[in-house]
Amino acid sequence: MRGSLLAALLGLLVVLAAGKEDLGLQNFNATQFSGMWYEIALASNLEHQSLSPRRKVGAVIVEQNGPHLTLTSVTDHMNRCMKEKNQAVRGNAPGKFKFRSDSGGKEVIVVATDYNSYAIMNIVLHRGGKPSSVLKLYSRTLEHNEKATEEFMERAVEQGLSASDVQLLTKDLTCVNLLS
Ligand SMILES: *[C@@H]1O[C@H](CO)[C@@H](O)[C@H](O)[C@H]1NC(C)=O
């Protein structure tokens, strides 16, 4: 009796400890996640120097092929639109993907999504010593989404960021239009 209670408590502790890590979404459904997402905000304390003050919205098209995801994205990088196509393989948890790359690697973790309006992804770069990460808010439309923005702020704070680290992107579709 006491043994099983202890085991249950230990199990709970393991779950609580695991919850502190960025585990990705439970029951992640790649089919529902597919399609077009606008990148409308980002948060990072590591990218201040390279952030242009009026960064344009970006976009990503997610396609599922077998166990992989193909991400075709366009982002405003220092006033230039950067288009990229990457294939991601599933990581060690649902909603967690790793990119094949020569340069050490990038990991994308789907932190939250309701599939039909918003998604929050954490992009972790393992380059050099310390991993750096950028939290991104994606939306199916360019309309302002109060609930998604609030959730994004909460997640940013959870990662030790503050409101001043959050940047809303300018509704300029120059980059996005390169995707179609
Ligand atoms: C994922 O979503 C699709 C479309 O809604 C559905 O057909 C499929 O059964 C879901 N897959 C899982 C594993 O839940």
Side-chain angles (χ1 to χ4, degrees), residues 3 20-22 33 43 60 64-66 68 79 89 91 93-95 102 110 116 123-124 130 139 141 144 152 160 162:
K20 290 211 184 299
E21 282 170 40
D22 233 339
F33 196 68
V60 59
Q64 197 188 0
N65 34 57
H68 307 310
N79 261 318
V89 295
D102 312 324
V110 182
N116 53 29
I123 290 102
V124 185
K130 250 182 17 189
S139 177
T141 69
H144 179 67
F152 185 64
S162 67

Side-chain angles (χ1 to χ4, degrees), residues 27-177:
N27 310 318
F28 177 74
N29 187 320
T31 310
Q32 289 179 37
F33 196 68
S34 295
M36 159 95 168
W37 292 100
Y38 292 102
E39 180 192 326
I40 57 167
L42 50 86
S44 173
N45 57 4
L46 298 147
E47 262 206 329
H48 273 320
Q49 279 83 7
S50 62
L51 288 183
S52 51
R54 289 179 61 77
R55 200 165 162 137
K56 303 174 187 79
V57 294
V60 59
I61 294 171
V62 180
E63 289 161 294
Q64 197 188 0
N65 34 57
H68 307 310
L69 283 189
T70 303
L71 281 84
T72 311
S73 63
V74 63
T75 48
D76 177 0
H77 184 70
M78 299 202 257
N79 261 318
R80 282 182 55 213
C81 299
M82 304 262 294
K83 199 171 168 182
E84 268 186 291
K85 189 167 182 167
N86 286 298
Q87 189 162 76
V89 295
R90 280 174 204 273
N92 54 5
K96 209 167 169 178
F97 297 89
K98 282 189 191 330
F99 288 92
R100 297 174 199 277
S101 93
D102 312 324
S103 53
K106 188 160 91 170
E107 217 180 344
V108 167
I109 300 154
V110 182
V111 179
T113 186
D114 63 356
Y115 298 103
N116 53 29
S117 72
Y118 80 99
I120 298 169
M121 291 194 250
N122 193 19
I123 290 102
V124 185
L125 296 161
H126 300 277
R127 254 172 229 156
K130 250 182 17 189
S132 56
S133 73
V134 184
L135 201 63
K136 292 187 173 185
L137 175 62
Y138 293 85
S139 177
R140 290 291 193 191
T141 69
L142 287 168
E143 316 281 293
H144 179 67
N145 182 334
E146 191 73 42
K147 186 179 159 280
T149 309
E150 273 172 25
E151 170 111 23
F152 185 64
M153 293 292 180
E154 274 173 35
R155 299 293 177 150
V157 169
E158 268 172 31
Q159 297 223 348
L161 300 166
S162 67
S164 63
D165 298 319
V166 174
Q167 188 183 19
L168 298 176
L169 307 183
T170 312
K171 276 187 201 169
D172 176 325
L173 297 179
T174 311
C175 290
V176 172
N177 288 339

Side-chain angles (χ1 to χ4, degrees), residues 4-25:
S4 61
L5 181 62
L6 192 60
L9 278 174
L10 282 175
L12 182 65
L13 283 178
V14 168
V15 169
L16 288 175
K20 290 211 184 299
E21 282 170 40
D22 233 339
L23 271 182
L25 264 190

